[in-house]
Amino acid sequence: MQSKLKVFEKFVNSVSGWLNWVAIAAFVAMVMLIVVDVLGGKLLHHPVQGSFEVTGFLGLIIIAFALPFTQLLRGHIEVDFFAEKLPKRAQTIIANVISLFCIALFAMMVWQMFDYARNSQISGRVTVVQGIALYPFAYAAASCFFVVCLVISLQFLRAVTRVVRK
Amino acid sequence: MSSSVIGLIGIGILVMLFLIRMPIAFAMLSVGILGFIYLVSPEAGLSLLGHDVFAQLTNYSLTVIPMFVLAGSIAFEAGMGERLFDGAYAMFGRLPGSLAIAATVASAGLGAVTGSSVAVAAAVGRMSLPAMKKYNYDDSLATGSIAAAGTLGVLIPPSMIFVIYAMLTEQSIGKLFIAGILPGILLTSLFVMTILLHCRYNKSLAPRGPASSRKQKMAGLVGLGEISILFILVIGGIARGWFSPTQGGGVLVAGVSLLAVARRQISWRGFITALKDSARISCMVLSICIGGIVFGRFMAVSKLPLVLADWLGALSLPTLAVIGFIMLAHMIGGCFMDGMGLLLISMPVIFPTLIALDVDLIWFGVMIVVVGEMGMITPPVGITVYVIKGIAEDVPMITIFKGIVPFIGAIVICMAILVAFPQIATFLPHLITY
């Protein structure tokens, strides 16, 4: 059981890490696109056509691809002053219930985002200016949400094995 | 059960989820979806998770946040706060409490390139606290002044809270940024006066530091000048409509990077760290925004905000009394939770009331940010206080909170001045014609 969990942990960590690098690359691309757009538009009167559409998609990549790693680091803001005062046992139980709830939430997000991606693909939804298809980005977001599910599952399993060992 | 009662129950459940430590973003998303499912239909509620979440993930207006976060992270990694602090100290070196004053001015300067109070408090705290310790500054004054000054980061543009407020109230980000300038200067001056008064009455709190040479003063002016030029270019450019807020953020990132590289203040590793930090912080902030937007959809269909507006209208209370009540609620709420989350819950609820009362939404935005600053330094959830505690580990929490009390007084005075003279916040935005 322990070795299987280790393998799962290694897999989730490396996938989240790689996705985070994609988010970082999108960050750099966004800065470069904006600089080229501003310089081109203001100095040469040739702005990048539809740059706001590409910037929006890069925004999606930054958030969705950084989400698993942020969850892995437990980087989301929580209100801890009340929960910290509860007994340790109660804290563990509540944390595990929240983890299960979050897994369910992200599972629903995966389902709905895949559904949205499929519908966009079938109906051929594209952006107005550059005609970029929406569905690849929706599929990418859905896949990242799936990895978030894996990350929260890993955190849940770790917590449960810790309790069982005690 | 009426829909507005469901809305109230939703807020109650949300608060409960916050208290049991569910991440703010996920809690707002869950309650928003479940409430929407209950009030409209399961299909409509679930579709928010697909269509609505996708629309927000690709929302161009939200991309301004990662840009300003990255600019702040690069400035932090490049040690720009240190340069600002040295510059401010060279200018104010002979005044009583000069190191605390320099830390306050440096915080205001750093706030001009980053929209995060945590980043400002961490950067300025790291270099000014050891200096204050060296000159035997009182722990309470040293830590309290830096924690309070850190909050200037959210009032002085670019400010993330202004971006979120603009998104929720459909106000111009450029106008809100401009609106924060004069109140930011006012609050910085009030913080400086607080330090001066404190040190005048009790000279042992902050012994005088060494005087600076003319050369040091000139170097200090250059340091302050660089940031000022960048600030004027970016915020002025956004206000004049030269570029969108996101483009302004991109220009700021480019400007801060060029400065850092030209001064050899940042390594390749520093850049990567800044990018990693920015990805994490942006993801965290934008997740909260998306959760807040979905929660706002639930509030809208619950009609609770309209019922509240009607109820307050029927009471025929003076506008200032209603505003005072809202501010008090934010002050209390800010003690317990993050200002951004609080704003995302409260704005959808109180927005119709503000419209009905014909409140100037730019002025209100400034007021809500100033109240939010108070929440960042009041117990039990004073985020900048925890940052300072992390740096000054040997100083008890109670000492830091004691040091903050006079600065809370300064924030209250700032609010009173803004109520008496709302033009301080509205004068500059009214000059913008677009």
Side-chain angles (χ1 to χ4, degrees), chain B residues 198-223:
Chain B
H198 230 62
C199 299
R200 178 150 295 205
Y201 284 110
N202 189 350
K203 290 195 167 54
S204 65
L205 285 178
R208 276 178 202 271
S212 317
S213 65
R214 182 172 289 187
K215 199 177 163 190
Q216 281 172 314
K217 280 197 170 73
M218 281 310 292
L221 264 180
V222 172

Side-chain angles (χ1 to χ4, degrees), chain B residues 216-302:
Chain B
Q216 281 172 314
K217 280 197 170 73
M218 281 310 292
L221 264 180
V222 172
L224 293 175
E226 285 167 350
I227 296 291
S228 305
I229 292 168
L230 209 52
F231 175 75
I232 291 166
L233 173 73
V234 171
I235 303 300
I238 294 171
R240 298 282 303 168
W242 290 343
F243 25 74
S244 68
T246 301
Q247 288 176 323
V251 171
L252 187 65
V253 171
V256 170
S257 308
L258 281 176
L259 264 181
V261 170
R263 296 204 160 276
R264 295 173 190 273
Q265 284 175 314
I266 195 161
S267 61
W268 181 243
R269 187 176 281 185
F271 255 122
I272 297 292
T273 307
L275 279 164
K276 277 184 178 172
D277 282 350
S278 303
R280 181 179 51 80
I281 296 168
S282 302
C283 175
M284 177 254 284
V285 173
L286 291 166
S287 301
I288 292 178
C289 289
I290 293 171
I293 289 167
V294 172
F295 180 74
R297 302 261 189 272
F298 162 49
M299 282 293 107
V301 294
S302 78

Side-chain angles (χ1 to χ4, degrees), chain A residues 98-137:
Chain A
I98 288 174
S99 290
L100 287 175
F101 193 81
C102 289
I103 292 169
L105 172 71
F106 273 91
M108 279 200 297
M109 286 174 77
V110 172
W111 164 36
Q112 287 301 313
M113 196 55 83
F114 266 120
D115 207 37
Y116 178 72
R118 205 183 53 235
N119 287 338
S120 300
Q121 190 176 7
I122 293 166
S123 60
R125 263 179 232 153
V126 292
T127 59
V128 182
V129 180
Q130 290 203 331
I132 303 168
L134 302 188
Y135 74 88
F137 297 96

